[in-house]
Amino acid sequence: MIRQIRKGLNFTIIFLFVSLPLPYPVKAESIRMAWFTIPPHVFVAKDGVTPKGPTIELFNTIAGRMGCTVEWVGPLPLSRLTKYQTHGGGRIDGSVLCEKAPVLLPFLYYPKEAYFIGHPCLAVRADNTLTSIKTIDDIGGYRIGFVSMFAGDYPPFFQNNLDKVTFQNISGNNWTSRNLAKLLLNRIDAVYELNRYSLKYQAVVDGVADKIRILNIPVEPIAHYYVFHKNSPKGEQLLHLYEKAVTGMNINYDRMVKREIEKYRRK
């Protein structure tokens, strides 16, 4: 009789354990995350395959709290990434460093909070007397270097004043470094970037950090998110797991990026 009771109790305990909902999947779920190179946030490791950088490091940590592993897919050209986000076909569950662009909103799940806020800015030569930018007149007549890939997607500060400045956009890779070289040769007057860390990183890597000055332009900062794709069958579930995982986390992404940049400062 006692043995039967024990058996009954064991069965009940096992049944309750199996039936209770768990905060995370029992078996680690794999997330296929798309990435592209944008140093110092994301770059390719020395093996030529593995993604590195603060954006990768932070998401790996969050994924661990989600009970998930990460399969990084990339580096992808931005045009292909946009296709995967909007039309599927790549079996991608999510992607990194994504803005809330109106064209993407119907296709992506965005968390409540961004993990990185970027400030559009200009780099000028250190001998330039300009110390702040308040209106377009402060840079009237400037020749500004940028990249063809994002040409035309300017904030209203520039878009409404294209008669007062001239953009000299270049194509290809490593555009920030090439534009900084043009700046120091006086072939352009400023270099435009969507966040100051890209400029600061490249200036440190190229050994010209003391030869430029980085100035914010008076536009709204750009919030960047880890996003999950609505065309992924588990996109919505991953969003919920992500929100739970980041609750209570003390995320200081700016400190992570600054630490990454300091690795390249020449002694």
Side-chain angles (χ1 to χ4, degrees):
M1 182 68 176
I2 294 176
R3 186 177 300 172
Q4 290 177 341
I5 293 173
R6 285 177 178 171
K7 285 183 179 180
L9 287 174
N10 289 340
F11 176 80
T12 302
I13 292 170
I14 292 171
F15 176 79
L16 287 172
F17 179 77
V18 173
S19 300
L20 286 174
L22 298 176
Y24 303 115
V26 176
K27 183 178 180 181
E29 190 88 36
S30 178
I31 312 173
R32 286 175 57 84
M33 288 291 287
W35 63 282
F36 57 96
T37 56
I38 178 168
H41 307 281
V42 187
F43 54 92
V44 184
K46 291 181 180 180
D47 62 8
V49 177
T50 307
K52 292 190 67 177
T55 280
I56 302 298
E57 178 186 343
L58 177 57
F59 189 79
N60 281 334
T61 299
I62 295 171
R65 291 170 62 94
M66 294 167 63
C68 299
T69 59
V70 186
E71 180 183 351
W72 291 104
V73 181
L76 296 178
L78 287 177
S79 57
R80 190 186 308 171
L81 173 58
T82 301
K83 181 179 179 181
Y84 287 162
Q85 290 174 333
T86 56
H87 296 92
R91 296 186 297 109
I92 308 296
D93 300 311
S95 44
V96 304
L97 276 170
C98 192
E99 304 171 25
K100 277 192 174 180
V103 69
L104 294 176
L105 288 176
F107 303 99
L108 304 176
Y109 293 113
Y110 286 84
K112 296 176 184 176
E113 301 291 338
Y115 75 94
F116 168 55
I117 306 295
H119 293 268
C121 54
L122 290 180
V124 297
R125 291 183 296 276
D127 59 4
N128 192 317
T129 58
L130 189 66
T131 57
S132 66
I133 303 172
K134 297 180 180 179
T135 71
I136 196 68
D137 293 329
D138 292 330
I139 55 173
Y142 271 38
R143 300 161 298 168
I144 302 174
F146 193 38
V147 58
S148 300
M149 181 168 52
F150 299 129
D153 188 19
Y154 305 123
F157 179 78
F158 287 129
Q159 194 65 49
N160 297 337
N161 295 286
L162 292 178
D163 57 329
K164 295 184 178 181
V165 295
T166 302
F167 276 92
Q168 295 185 8
N169 300 312
I170 61 176
S171 59
N173 298 321
N174 207 15
W175 64 82
T176 305
S177 179
R178 290 157 55 206
N179 275 328
L180 286 174
K182 291 175 65 177
L183 173 68
L184 296 178
L185 291 172
N186 292 308
R187 292 171 55 191
I188 54 177
D189 304 300
V191 179
Y192 175 52
E193 269 295 350
L194 299 177
N195 74 92
R196 66 187 299 109
Y197 291 128
S198 290
L199 282 169
K200 188 173 183 180
Y201 163 84
Q202 198 60 58
V204 167
V205 169
D206 293 349
V208 299
D210 60 337
K211 297 180 181 180
I212 68 167
R213 182 182 304 118
I214 301 174
L215 305 173
N216 285 349
I217 59 175
V219 301
E220 289 294 321
I222 303 173
H224 295 76
Y225 300 80
Y226 297 115
V227 296
F228 302 101
H229 301 181
K230 290 185 179 180
N231 56 48
S232 165
K234 51 189 175 182
E236 188 173 10
Q237 177 199 17
L238 291 174
L239 175 66
H240 293 318
L241 289 174
Y242 177 94
E243 296 286 21
K244 289 182 181 179
V246 298
T247 300
M249 283 187 70
N250 183 20
I251 297 174
N252 191 330
Y253 185 79
D254 291 85
R255 182 170 59 193
M256 295 176 68
V257 180
K258 290 175 182 177
R259 185 179 62 201
E260 184 65 40
I261 292 172
E262 285 303 311
K263 295 178 183 179
Y264 299 90
R265 194 173 296 278
R266 297 177 182 178
K267 305 298 183 182

